[in-house]
Amino acid sequence: MPRGSKDKYTAEQKRKAEHIEESYEDRGTPKGEAEARAWATVNKQSGGGEKGGGSGKATTASAKAQAKSDSGKRAAQTRSGHDRNSKSSLESQSKSSLMTEARSRDISGRSKMTKAELIKALRTK
């Protein structure tokens, strides 16, 4: 027999458990075991009773869109701190990023260059 109160379950979960229980009983499973299996199935499918949580504030689609836009603007501000070819910009990039940039500018010998050599080559070309 299942333990605990079922008060925290939604009406849909209760109906689903009842339906599953009836199905087990129709196949000859004893009532107690059918009920236990039904609630185990409901718990597995939906994670148990109603879940509390969240801030209690409903987030509208426009609020989400505004938050996404604000996030993008903040990210763009951090990227636009210096010119792409400035000394600090090139030195802050990874070697693979510098290699990609050198490939796009068709700098020959790039595959054998060190990071410092890549930076120097990118500054001159």
Side-chain angles (χ1 to χ4, degrees), residues 9-10 12-21 24 27 36-49 51:
Y9 288 88
T10 63
E12 180 185 357
Q13 290 169 320
K14 290 176 184 178
R15 282 192 312 273
K16 187 181 278 190
E18 186 178 335
H19 176 73
I20 294 168
E21 182 180 347
Y24 276 120
R27 287 185 253 159
R37 285 184 184 182
W39 284 108
T41 303
V42 169
N43 285 336
K44 183 163 185 151
Q45 290 175 349
S46 64
K51 301 287 187 245

Side-chain angles (χ1 to χ4, degrees), residues 52-119:
S55 64
K57 297 178 186 175
T59 306
T60 63
S62 62
K64 285 182 183 180
Q66 183 64 43
K68 185 176 180 181
S69 172
D70 291 345
S71 175
K73 288 176 185 174
R74 285 193 305 274
Q77 283 179 338
T78 60
R79 285 192 304 268
S80 66
H82 44 264
D83 182 31
R84 185 167 172 81
N85 293 325
S86 72
K87 181 178 178 182
S88 58
S89 174
L90 290 172
E91 290 175 354
S92 67
Q93 294 181 37
S94 66
K95 184 176 178 184
S96 64
S97 173
L98 293 169
M99 189 68 76
T100 303
E101 185 70 24
R103 188 177 304 114
S104 70
R105 295 188 192 183
D106 198 30
I107 296 175
S108 61
R110 63 186 174 267
S111 62
K112 295 180 180 165
M113 290 184 183
T114 64
K115 182 175 179 178
E117 291 169 334
L118 283 168
I119 292 171

